[in-house]
Amino acid sequence: MKKTAGLLLLSLTTLILTLSCSKEEKIAPFVKEFVNAYTDPHGFISVISNDRGNRYVTSDTVRLEADSTYRLIMSYCVNEDTFSATILDYASVLSSPARKADREDTCSDPVDIRSAWLGGGWLNLIIELKGLEKKHRLYAVENSDSTRVAFSLFHDADDDISSYTAIAYMSIPLEQYADVLSVNDTITLSYTDYSGSVRTRTFTTK
């Protein structure tokens, strides 16, 4: 059974980058990126793969759901000689498929997008949200048709006060659009920013 994590994490633990990932004197390369994490029959992460197709054997002490797949942003160290990784920290990524457009999705609270890119069959987003004293709702809405792939971001801040900024991570899966997308096609993403302007970002498939 596969399960994709869909948790909105408000912050990611700060890491000390001078930390050695090995008991040896040689410090292994440090990586922080979006990954797919696969759990074993006991619920522990046993394999991770990044969006470049690299797979590493690993282990973790936190028990998740057994035989499942999680989309995470992870900090880890790599041993290329053994194709293994040491997990330092990770946080959940919103990774549910985009919802079909509905009347509820027409009025969205603002967000800012710090970074956005295509990789590994995903549209990956690092999103800035203001407030978070209350529970926010955040998801992608599909505005696609038979000739194009287009998304918008829906954000319900529940009238939260914009007291500080937090970070959310999102990966929109693209595999269901394989029949529409080909090389050099465009994908668009629209959202309202905190100035009140509607922004549209365009991405080109490779």
Side-chain angles (χ1 to χ4, degrees):
M1 178 184 65
K2 290 187 176 182
K3 180 180 179 181
T4 304
L7 219 42
L8 177 59
L9 193 86
L10 307 187
S11 64
L12 185 66
T13 303
T14 302
L15 298 172
I16 302 174
L17 300 186
T18 55
L19 176 67
S20 172
C21 297
S22 172
K23 294 181 180 179
E24 301 173 357
E25 291 184 2
K26 182 180 178 181
I27 298 178
F30 173 87
V31 182
K32 180 179 179 181
E33 60 186 354
F34 285 34
V35 302
N36 295 326
Y38 307 91
T39 60
D40 62 20
H42 303 288
F44 299 110
I45 296 175
S46 58
V47 174
I48 61 173
S49 64
N50 61 26
D51 288 351
R52 298 181 302 282
N54 300 322
R55 293 174 67 91
Y56 301 104
V57 176
T58 188
S59 61
D60 190 50
T61 57
V62 177
R63 180 166 287 177
L64 305 173
E65 187 168 333
D67 298 320
S68 300
T69 302
Y70 289 83
R71 185 68 172 169
L72 305 172
I73 180 167
M74 180 178 288
S75 302
Y76 62 98
C77 292
V78 176
N79 186 327
E80 296 289 358
D81 294 332
T82 60
F83 298 99
S84 62
T86 300
I87 298 174
L88 301 179
D89 202 349
Y90 58 82
S92 298
V93 174
L94 291 164
S95 54
S96 298
R99 304 184 186 187
K100 296 293 185 180
D102 188 88
R103 284 184 298 177
E104 180 189 46
D105 307 318
T106 57
C107 183
S108 178
D109 290 322
V111 302
D112 279 330
I113 295 182
R114 178 180 295 182
S115 184
W117 69 96
L118 296 177
W122 305 87
L123 173 54
N124 299 303
L125 309 172
I126 300 178
I127 303 168
E128 295 183 357
L129 304 174
K130 294 183 179 180
L132 298 183
E133 295 291 340
K134 298 182 179 180
K135 184 177 181 180
H136 291 216
R137 290 193 301 152
L138 180 66
Y139 55 83
V141 176
E142 179 186 326
N143 307 116
S144 307
D145 55 33
S146 59
T147 60
R148 67 188 181 105
V149 177
F151 302 107
S152 58
L153 281 182
F154 177 80
H155 175 215
D156 179 5
D158 194 23
D159 296 321
D160 203 355
I161 298 174
S162 301
S163 54
Y164 61 92
T165 300
I167 302 298
Y169 304 98
M170 178 181 288
S171 290
I172 305 171
L174 301 176
E175 61 182 355
Q176 60 266 46
Y177 308 104
D179 294 338
V180 178
L181 293 172
S182 58
V183 177
N184 294 325
D185 278 344
T186 58
I187 298 171
T188 60
L189 175 72
S190 300
Y191 62 97
T192 302
D193 68 14
Y194 281 98
S195 72
S197 300
V198 176
R199 305 283 186 179
T200 300
R201 295 202 180 190
T202 302
F203 309 87
T204 303
T205 59
K206 296 181 179 179

